[in-house]
């Protein structure tokens, strides 16, 4: 895992059986990543290759999910040998490089740069606890915040699938109107709170335990335990509304894991 600007390199030092090596890159939630190859010595004829992933991949699952990314998967995950890859600029705060290099002396070097993203959408958190606001900024797109740990989500406020009308803000300070099972009610915008096993990197493969829409500026006692391994808050947006959800997240205590995991996490 690397999260700093700089030049990184790999050079094979001895012959070995084909082994896939990986480099995970992860920025802050409000950062994107630029990867530029400075040197490249990888031969197709020797069975060597390198792949760049706009996102993370694990056991065939991708973050962000295929349906949540602006590019098709074929443009997000590309294989190269002989010819140096073009520059990669990610659409979220994570990227990944795989490679197989067999001949001693062959390898590559890259320049990695993390830079500011004013409107983050899909995020994998570097921290196991904190506070975050997830928004679609009024666009038709789905955004996911993922933590690679079991956590408790505490809802602090949300406006999803509804418009704030002038003059009602004071009323909304004391009234909450949160609906559940929004998709079944015919709504096109909702926030889903999900959990999956550690290999469930794609949020669309995780179990959705809660689906919420409506508004709440000061919700009381809205806690959502997610014990299965990876935790996600996914905001589904039609583009009709400016959706936003704010929440705290923190590690799930051992006592809570004991209570919730047998109930919520099916055997793998």
């Amino acid at each position: 895992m690397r999260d700093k600007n700089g030049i990184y390199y790999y050079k094979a030092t001895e012959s070995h059986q084909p082994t896939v090596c990986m480099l995970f890159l992860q920025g802050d939630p409000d950062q994107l990543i630029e990867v530029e190859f400075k040197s490249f010595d990888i031969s197709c004829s020797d069975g060597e290759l390198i792949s760049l992933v706009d996102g993370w991949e694990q056991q065939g699952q991708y973050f962000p999910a295929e349906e949540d990314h602006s590019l098709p998967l074929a443009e997000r995950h590309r294989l190269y040998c002989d010819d140096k890859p073009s520059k990669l600029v990610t659409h979220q705060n994570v990227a990944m490089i795989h490679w197989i290099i067999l001949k001693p002396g062959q390898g590559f070097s890259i320049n990695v740069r993390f830079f500011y993203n004013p409107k983050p959408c899909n995020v994998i958190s570097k921290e196991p606890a904190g506070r975050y606001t997830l928004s679609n900024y009024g666009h038709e797109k789905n955004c996911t915040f993922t933590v690679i740990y079991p956590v408790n989500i505490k809802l602090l406020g949300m406006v999803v699938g509804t418009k704030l009308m002038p003059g009602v803000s004071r009323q909304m300070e004391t009234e909450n109107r949160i609906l559940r099972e929004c998709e079944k009610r015919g709504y096109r915008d909702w926030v889903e709170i999900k959990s999956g096993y550690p290999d469930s990197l794609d949020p669309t493969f995780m179990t959705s335990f809660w689906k919420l829409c409506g508004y709440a500026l000061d919700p009381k006692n809205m806690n959502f335990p997610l014990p299965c391994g990876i935790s996600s808050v996914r905001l589904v947006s039609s583009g009709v509304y400016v959706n936003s959800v704010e929440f705290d997240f923190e590690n799930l205590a051992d006592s809570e894991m004991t209570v919730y995991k047998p109930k919520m996490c099916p055997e793998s």
Side-chain angles (χ1 to χ4, degrees), residues 126-199:
K126 295 169 67 175
E127 306 297 335
R131 176 171 296 182
Y132 194 74
T133 301
L134 192 62
S135 176
N136 71 325
Y137 304 97
H139 299 298
E140 181 183 1
K141 61 181 179 179
N142 303 331
C143 299
T144 299
F145 181 88
T146 290
V147 187
I148 55 175
Y149 306 98
V151 300
N152 181 72
I153 299 293
K154 180 181 180 181
L155 186 65
L156 301 177
M158 62 176 280
V159 180
V160 176
T162 187
K163 292 182 179 180
L164 291 179
M165 303 300 293
V168 303
S169 59
R170 287 189 177 180
Q171 179 184 6
M172 289 182 63
E173 288 177 3
T174 57
E175 293 185 6
N176 296 321
R177 187 174 184 269
I178 294 180
L179 302 177
R180 298 175 183 263
E181 302 301 328
C182 304
E183 188 178 12
K184 293 180 180 179
R185 295 170 179 260
Y187 288 84
R188 297 171 58 200
D189 298 61
W190 62 84
V191 58
E192 49 187 349
I193 302 173
K194 319 186 76 171
S195 187
Y197 283 99
D199 58 354

Side-chain angles (χ1 to χ4, degrees), residues 74-87:
E75 295 183 31
R76 292 176 55 196
H77 190 174
R78 292 189 172 185
L79 304 179
Y80 298 89
C81 55
D82 289 340
D83 295 326
K84 185 169 69 172
S86 55
K87 181 188 297 183

Side-chain angles (χ1 to χ4, degrees), residues 16-125:
H16 52 79
Q17 294 297 316
T19 301
V20 178
C21 299
M22 293 173 284
L23 174 63
F24 291 85
L25 300 171
Q26 183 177 22
D28 294 333
D30 61 352
Q31 288 183 319
L32 301 176
I33 309 170
E34 179 187 85
V35 180
E36 183 177 12
F37 279 79
K38 309 303 289 184
S39 64
F40 188 83
D41 184 14
I42 299 175
S43 173
C44 298
S45 61
D46 293 327
E48 301 175 335
L49 60 86
I50 193 167
S51 69
L52 300 182
V53 183
D54 184 1
W56 278 2
E57 181 271 336
Q58 184 169 285
Q59 298 186 11
Q61 292 193 20
Y62 290 82
F63 181 92
E66 291 186 51
E67 65 186 76
D68 294 351
H69 202 282
S70 59
L71 296 178
L73 188 58
E75 295 183 31
R76 292 176 55 196
H77 190 174
R78 292 189 172 185
L79 304 179
Y80 298 89
C81 55
D82 289 340
D83 295 326
K84 185 169 69 172
S86 55
K87 181 188 297 183
L88 169 69
V89 179
T90 67
H91 291 73
Q92 64 291 309
N93 74 320
V94 292
M96 188 176 184
I97 304 174
H98 306 76
W99 66 89
I100 299 176
I101 301 176
L102 305 176
K103 294 184 68 174
Q106 292 188 334
F108 64 91
S109 63
I110 55 174
N111 184 39
V112 175
R113 183 173 71 91
F114 297 87
F115 62 97
Y116 177 61
N117 176 16
K119 295 182 178 181
C121 177
N122 293 297
V123 170
I124 294 182
S125 176

